[in-house]
Structures are given as C-alpha cells and as structure tokens.
Amino acid sequence: MFEYQHQFIQYALENGVLKFGQFKLKSGRISPYFFNTGLFSTGAQLDKLGQFYAQALIASGLEVDVLYGPAYKGIPLAAGTAIAYSQLKADIPFAFNRKEAKDHGEGGVLVGAPLQGKVLIIDDVITAGTSVRESIQIISAAGASVAGVLIALDRQEKGETELSAVQEVTRQYNIPVIAIISLAEIISYIQLNEPDSEKLPIIHAYRQQYGI
Ligand code: OMP
C-alpha cells in the first residue's frame, strides 16, 4: 500500500466518509461498509480530496488531455482534481455534462473544455459500473477517446459475471480503471491498525459472497 492510500483511508475515516455498519447498496446488496464521497463538503476537504485523486493519477503514469466529471457527483471531483493536478504536474482542461440538455444560450449537454484527445472519466465509487458506461458513450459521441477512469474506491465486487464491474469495464473498453483505494487496501488498513477488530470477519464474509 502506498503512503497516500494509507493517508486517504485515514482521512476518509476521520471525516465519516468511510463507515462500517449495515448499508443497502444501489445493487440491493447489504454491505458492512459504505464510502460516501459526498461528505467531503468543505473547501479544504475538496482541496485535499483533489490532491489524492491527482496523486493516484500521477502514480498510474497515465497521460491524459482532458478530465471529465459525470453529473452530478463527478463534477466537483473533476474540478478538484484539475486544480490539484495543475499544482502537482500540469494545467489540464476539464469538462462535465448536464443531466438535461439546455436548448438556449450555449445549449447542449457538455460544459467546460471541449472533449478532445484522451479523456479521463473521474467518478466516486464503482459497484456495477452503470454510470461509467453512460460517460463512455458521451465521450465517444463527442469524437474523443476514453483514456481511462479514475475513482476513489473500487469495491472489487462481482458484476453480472464472475468479474468485477471494474474488470468488465477494463476488458470491454480496453481502458485502465485507476482507484485511489480498493477494498483490499481497506482490509489491509484494518489489519494493520486494529488486528483484533470484529469488523474483519464480517468484511471477509461479505467479500467471500460478493467479492472477486
Ligand atoms: P454503479 O454506478 O452501479 O457502479 O454504482 C456506484 C454508485 O453507488 C456510486 O456512484 C454511489 O452512488 C453508490 N455507492 C457509494 O457511493 N458508495 C459505496 O460504498 C457503495 C455504493 C453503492 O450503492 O454501490
């Protein structure tokens, strides 16, 4: 585990973004943990969150031309990452979509920099991958190529097949999915900091059932 991944989990715990308990997911599964990036909700928190995303992007070595944030949750994430990336590496354009097309003013569903070259999708969590597929269609329709996907957490759960949603996306579109952390890092973090935690067997059982 990289130092920034350890720090990211610590930061998520301190801010109540990573929680343990019983949570119903979009998929209907009852999960022993939940990660809610929406709770990073101050300027300083968005600044720090953007730094983590930018560090993960830099660590991946992926070269991208534009950052794209899918509405709604991806918009502040792409903006925050663009700010942090400009401080750590290079100034980079970003864009996002509207959920409903605007028929006056500048019109259309896309806002910000033109989608051209290699576009990186920035989102929060991938479980089944629904939102990512929609973004890929929007970027392709604009005539640009998808460089990959950058997310905060890969839950490493089975999708419709034995593969995880992230593996399915990687295979279907031949693009990398970069995650700041995955469930594996959350487990390592607990093992390191709370080796006797009662959370561990519960998370292991969940992983046994739904994990890849
Ligand atoms: P997919 O679009 O099916 O991949 O589901 C991802 C979405 O699930 C996220 O964008 C969140 O709305 C939600 N989610 C979380 O935010 N955190 C979690 O830990 C789990 C989920 C989820 O419901 O699966």
Side-chain angles (χ1 to χ4, degrees):
M1 170 153 52
F2 291 110
E3 183 56 26
Y4 73 84
Q5 293 178 307
H6 190 272
Q7 285 171 0
F8 184 58
I9 295 173
Q10 203 163 353
Y11 193 58
L13 286 169
E14 279 165 15
N15 288 280
V17 167
L18 174 58
K19 280 207 176 92
F20 299 97
Q22 274 206 330
F23 306 92
K24 188 166 183 189
L25 304 185
K26 219 161 117 178
S27 59
R29 293 173 186 173
I30 305 296
S31 167
Y33 76 101
F34 195 81
F35 198 89
N36 184 359
T37 56
L39 293 178
F40 286 124
S41 52
T42 72
Q45 286 172 338
L46 180 60
D47 177 14
K48 206 154 175 178
L49 182 61
Q51 302 279 338
F52 285 117
Y53 271 87
Q55 281 179 74
L57 174 56
I58 292 166
S60 78
L62 194 70
E63 293 295 328
V64 302
D65 298 312
V66 182
L67 304 181
Y68 173 79
Y72 299 99
K73 277 197 197 158
I75 298 174
L77 299 177
T81 307
I83 295 169
Y85 197 81
S86 76
Q87 293 159 354
L88 296 173
K89 192 165 179 194
D91 195 16
I92 191 168
F94 78 98
F96 55 91
N97 67 312
R98 289 183 224 279
K99 289 242 181 187
E100 282 148 27
K102 197 173 157 190
D103 60 5
H104 59 280
E106 74 280 17
V109 293
L110 290 168
V111 187
L115 288 184
Q116 53 197 20
K118 291 172 282 181
V119 179
L120 181 72
I121 299 165
I122 306 211
D123 215 339
D124 58 350
V125 176
I126 290 189
T127 303
T130 329
S131 137
V132 165
R133 289 191 163 81
E134 199 182 291
S135 299
I136 292 173
Q137 280 174 4
I138 293 173
I139 294 164
S140 306
S145 67
V146 179
V149 185
L150 175 60
I151 52 174
L153 170 67
D154 173 8
R155 294 184 50 102
Q156 298 181 301
E157 289 185 30
K158 281 182 203 136
E160 285 163 17
T161 64
E162 283 302 297
L163 297 177
S164 74
V166 161
Q167 288 170 329
E168 280 170 7
V169 167
T170 306
R171 194 173 280 197
Q172 187 178 350
Y173 301 101
N174 195 24
I175 50 170
V177 176
I178 305 154
I180 305 175
I181 53 162
S182 62
L183 175 59
E185 275 86 41
I186 294 179
I187 292 174
S188 303
Y189 183 95
I190 303 169
Q191 281 168 338
L192 199 71
N193 294 285
E194 294 172 70
D196 301 324
S197 170
E198 60 206 22
K199 295 194 255 311
L200 279 172
I202 298 170
I203 295 175
H204 278 306
Y206 181 80
R207 198 185 198 191
Q208 201 74 36
Q209 190 173 5
Y210 298 116
I212 42 147

